[in-house]
Amino acid sequence: PLACSSPNLKKLGSLHEPQQVKRGGEIKSTVTHSHKSAKSKSRVLEDQARIEQFWLQFQLALKSRDSSKVAALTTFPLVDFIYEGIGKKGTREEFERAFPFIFNEDAIQFLLSQPASKLKKRPDGRRYAEWHNGEDSEGQLTIIYLFAAHDGMWRLVQIVLIG
C-alpha cells in the first residue's frame, strides 16, 4: 500500500488493493471505486484503440476498392442486407456482387474522410457511419454502415439502405 500522511487519504485505503468489508458476520473483499474507475477507463481506451485499428484497416480496404478485403472485415451473414430488393441475411458472395452499389464512389470518399472518432456511437456501444447521396433524379439514398465488436474484433455487421 501507499504511505499516506493525510487522515483523509488514509480513509480511502490503497488504490491498488481490495478493501475488506464486514457484512452479516462475513468478511468480503471489494475493489475500491477508484480502482474500478481506472479499470473502466482502461477498457474504454483499449476498445478505442481496437476501433482505431479496425477503422484504419477498413479504410485501406475501401481505398483499394477491393471487395474481398472489405469482406474480410465483415461479419457474415449481414443482418437486414438488402440485395436485389429483398431484405435478408446477406452472404459474402452477395456482398461482393453488390459492392459497387453499397460502396459507390461518393460513399467511399465519405468513409475515407471520416476519422474513427467521428463514427456515431449507439447506446449499445456499436458505431455507425451514415452516408446520404442528396437529391437526384432517382431520389435520396441513405446507407448506414454499422460496426460492432464481434469475437473481440471490430467488424462491419450491418448495412441498411434507405431510399
Side-chain angles (χ1 to χ4, degrees):
L2 299 173
C4 305
S5 59
S6 165
N8 291 333
L9 287 177
K10 285 182 182 180
K11 288 179 187 175
L12 292 175
S14 169
L15 295 178
H16 304 287
E17 292 182 6
Q19 299 296 305
Q20 299 292 318
V21 178
K22 188 172 183 176
R23 291 186 187 147
E26 254 181 80
I27 294 179
K28 296 189 178 195
S29 182
T30 61
V31 178
T32 64
H33 183 69
S34 297
H35 191 69
K36 282 183 184 178
S37 178
K39 278 187 174 183
S40 177
K41 285 179 185 177
S42 174
R43 266 189 243 127
V44 167
L45 291 175
E46 286 174 17
D47 197 41
Q48 188 60 36
R50 283 190 198 110
I51 293 167
E52 295 279 345
Q53 181 182 16
F54 160 76
W55 193 244
L56 177 62
Q57 292 172 343
F58 188 76
Q59 287 181 315
L60 288 172
L62 279 178
K63 190 173 186 176
S64 73
R65 306 323 193 255
D66 186 334
S67 63
S68 63
K69 287 181 181 178
V70 176
L73 299 169
T74 303
T75 298
F76 294 99
L78 278 169
V79 179
D80 297 332
F81 184 68
I82 306 293
Y83 182 69
E84 297 176 348
I86 301 169
K88 57 183 175 180
K89 294 190 177 197
T91 66
R92 184 182 183 120
E93 294 76 27
E94 290 168 328
F95 174 83
E96 290 192 36
R97 281 197 309 269
F99 187 87
F101 177 72
I102 57 179
F103 292 103
N104 63 59
E105 193 57 34
D106 289 337
I108 288 174
Q109 290 306 316
F110 167 75
L111 293 167
L112 292 177
S113 73
Q114 300 297 301
S117 61
K118 293 288 184 184
L119 292 173
K120 297 173 185 173
K121 189 172 182 180
R122 293 172 41 123
D124 61 9
R126 296 186 292 175
R127 309 291 173 97
Y128 68 97
E130 189 172 332
W131 173 79
H132 308 276
N133 75 338
E135 286 294 322
D136 62 15
S137 60
E138 296 177 21
Q140 184 172 344
L141 175 65
T142 298
I143 304 176
I144 301 170
Y145 306 92
L146 185 66
F147 309 95
H150 184 76
D151 294 333
M153 302 287 290
W154 279 84
R155 296 281 185 247
L156 172 64
V157 296
Q158 187 173 9
I159 299 172
V160 180
L161 287 84
I162 305 167

